[in-house]
Amino acid sequence: VPPPLETLSNLTVGEACLKESLRKYSVVPMVVRQTIAEIDLGNGERMPKGTTVFINIQALHNDETYWPEPMKFSPDRFLSGKVEPYTYLPFIAGPRNCLGQYLSLLESKMVVGMLADRYRFESLDPLQTELHGENDPR
């Protein structure tokens, strides 16, 4: 039986872990778009209409400018709620974003909740225990 919606909305650490996983391991690492109008890049340069643009999402998700220690798995990044707009794009953004993004996150939280309810998980990494202590809820 899946957990009730009230329980799912309280799984903030679980959701942060899912988001950090999507940041580190992008399902779609790169997308290609074509401009539909001329764009002023703000530095005196212009991008003509019809220009093909490659957006390297994985590179963005690993950019130290927005993600300090980008190779480190750190769900805490998503607990503060201070993610810079357009720096986290696991489902793309704008009019061509993934229509199923909310459903997929909800389903993922349900699965994580059901697994957490049925099984006991523990870290095999002794460093984790040293850093966070034996009773850390993560």
Side-chain angles (χ1 to χ4, degrees):
V1 177
L5 191 56
E6 307 83 54
T7 303
L8 290 174
S9 62
N10 292 328
L11 295 177
T12 54
V13 174
E15 183 174 344
C17 287
L18 289 169
K19 287 181 175 182
E20 179 68 347
S21 296
L22 289 169
R23 182 195 68 80
K24 280 195 55 119
Y25 309 104
S26 297
V27 177
V28 179
M30 183 178 283
V31 293
V32 180
R33 297 288 187 261
Q34 193 169 45
T35 59
I36 59 171
E38 184 175 80
I39 298 171
D40 180 1
L41 299 175
N43 59 358
E45 299 286 328
R46 301 186 75 73
M47 186 180 300
K49 176 183 177 179
T51 300
T52 301
V53 179
F54 291 84
I55 304 164
N56 189 337
I57 296 170
Q58 191 66 59
L60 177 64
H61 287 175
N62 289 320
D63 189 332
E64 288 185 0
T65 306
Y66 308 109
W67 308 101
E69 297 183 84
M71 301 314 286
K72 179 181 175 187
F73 183 83
S74 180
D76 294 340
R77 304 173 202 271
F78 293 95
L79 293 175
S80 68
K82 296 179 183 175
V83 175
E84 194 74 29
Y86 299 104
T87 61
Y88 176 68
L89 302 171
F91 300 102
I92 318 300
R96 291 184 178 241
N97 69 348
C98 176
L99 295 176
Q101 65 182 311
Y102 300 108
L103 178 61
S104 68
L105 282 174
L106 181 63
E107 286 179 329
S108 298
K109 283 171 56 172
M110 286 175 57
V111 169
V112 168
M114 291 169 71
L115 288 171
D117 187 46
R118 294 180 181 153
Y119 301 98
R120 175 174 152 67
F121 294 91
E122 57 187 62
S123 175
L124 297 178
D125 183 356
L127 180 61
Q128 285 290 53
T129 304
E130 282 179 36
L131 289 175
H132 302 295
E134 199 67 41
N135 298 318
D136 190 300
R138 288 182 267 193

